[in-house]
Amino acid sequence: MKKIIHIIDVQPFDVVCEFNNGEVRKINFNEWVKEFENSKNGWTSKLAQPAFFNSVKLASYGTLLWENDIDFDPEVLYEMSVPA
């Protein structure tokens, strides 16, 4: 199972991180952010705000985590990422 072990860089809607298989990969959230922004759902629409997005932390269970327990399956993040 893929897990994130280190966040290397965070820019609005992009996160570069190292996975437990040694790969450094860039995750682009632009498509998801567009959906979140239009959802008008309080917790996910916050991800479309650059300052909130940039507040991401590494969860102890190996994925990206934002306030209000917003997180994503690390396998999904790996699949949507590209080598950095």
Side-chain angles (χ1 to χ4, degrees):
M1 175 178 204
K2 303 280 189 309
K3 292 184 179 183
I4 297 169
I5 60 170
H6 181 69
I7 296 173
I8 297 169
D9 188 41
V10 179
Q11 299 294 319
F13 318 125
D14 286 323
V15 180
V16 176
C17 45
E18 181 181 357
F19 283 83
N20 62 342
N21 63 356
E23 291 183 65
V24 174
R25 298 180 67 88
K26 179 179 178 179
I27 307 164
N28 181 295
F29 284 86
N30 280 317
E31 290 301 315
W32 279 5
V33 165
K34 287 178 191 173
E35 289 180 34
F36 297 150
E37 189 172 37
N38 295 327
S39 73
K40 305 300 182 210
N41 177 328
W43 66 273
T44 57
S45 63
K46 289 180 82 171
L47 283 173
Q49 301 168 7
F52 184 83
F53 183 89
N54 289 350
S55 71
V56 66
K57 305 284 186 244
L58 180 61
S60 62
Y61 46 93
T63 194
L64 303 177
L65 178 68
W66 286 266
E67 270 183 50
N68 301 330
D69 295 326
I70 300 171
D71 66 358
F72 298 94
D73 182 315
E75 291 279 342
V76 172
L77 295 177
Y78 180 83
E79 291 300 320
M80 66 184 276
S81 68
V82 296

